Amino acid sequence: MENLIQPIASDLPSKAVNEDTKICKRTRTLEKKSTIQTLVRCPSVIKFGKFEVETCYSCPFPQEEDAARLIFCEFCLKYTKCQSILDRHMRHCNWRTPPGTEIYQSGDLSVFEIDGKVDKTYCQTLCRLAKLFLNLKTLDYGVEPFLFYIVTKNDGFGCHLVGYFSKLKENEENFNVACIVIMPQYRRQGYGRILIEFSYLLSRIERQPGTPETPLSGLGKITYDAYWKGVILEYLHKHRDVDKIYINDVSSETGLMRQDIIDTFQSLHMVVEIYKEITICIDWNVVDRHIQKKNESKQVHIDPDRLKWTPSNLSDGQDNRPLEEPIFIKCIPGG
């Protein structure tokens, strides 16, 4: 899944230090020089654990800027172009999990929360890795203002990096995702939806509905639209006997922003105007087909009971939800 933000040079976070600014400028200079499309990418291939993956774009890695092939320790993210050096490193590396705190674990799936200020080098390397597969990804600077949520697939050898999303520690727009990426070897296995689902679980616990930063990439928009539709249809199924729908009820239960909820109802063709009053006319066939498909699928979902996390911005008794406002009236058509 591509990243969700298209920052420009003036978008450097206020907390970015001089070193971060220099990295960003150097990356931008290299990008400008590569405007003429060539088949040369540096690196063109990376070895990550047992997987060897072709890259899509170039990204400079310090001390190895011109390497055609890089080999990574999949746990601490140290890299080299020499296999013998990596082998020697692996004999002494005692990392088997990402840094930070494990805040979720269920089956062979874990999520770690990492502070970009505490583990800066790891997070910068993580962002450079993402740049190899995302055309618009430039978030290899200013990691200090961000939190990173790493999803891993676990076995007896360790916790293997699957993907991550990042979010600003502080933002007034209620963005719950700044960038989201799945490593190529784990794509099309449902992990993108898992990360989106996890981001909204955090929003619900924070009692603050969230939305991804825009503009969305093409693939990002498709994935989010599918997620939002599924959430809304499942909400309708759960509340079949309710006569009225309040947007704020939907928002507080799902973690979705009001505008995303309204747009999703419209994309489902369930919003009509009757006597100048906006009304939801539910097609229960659409709801039932979705629920049947969900029940038949083997898709893994986040179990909220397995989360061990307390938001730092929520004090006792605080509720960040806006005042309830009745916007839509639920209408069940005949047939």
Side-chain angles (χ1 to χ4, degrees), residues 26-73:
R26 185 168 67 250
T27 302
R28 292 294 172 80
T29 300
L30 290 172
E31 288 175 346
K32 289 179 180 178
K33 290 181 179 179
S34 63
T35 52
I36 300 176
Q37 296 296 319
T38 67
L39 298 177
V40 178
R41 301 184 307 280
C42 292
S44 59
V45 175
I46 64 169
K47 185 176 181 183
F48 201 81
K50 65 180 179 180
F51 299 99
E52 192 158 295
V53 184
E54 291 188 4
T55 63
C56 301
Y57 307 98
S58 294
C59 180
F61 284 78
Q63 286 80 53
E64 302 289 0
E65 287 87 350
D66 299 325
R69 180 175 182 267
L70 282 180
I71 311 165
F72 286 81
C73 170

Side-chain angles (χ1 to χ4, degrees), residues 83 131 140 150 154 171 183 253 275 309:
Q83 182 66 56
K131 172 63 178 174
D140 62 344
I150 314 293
N154 311 331
N171 74 89
M183 294 293 286
E253 185 168 324
Y275 300 114
W309 182 78

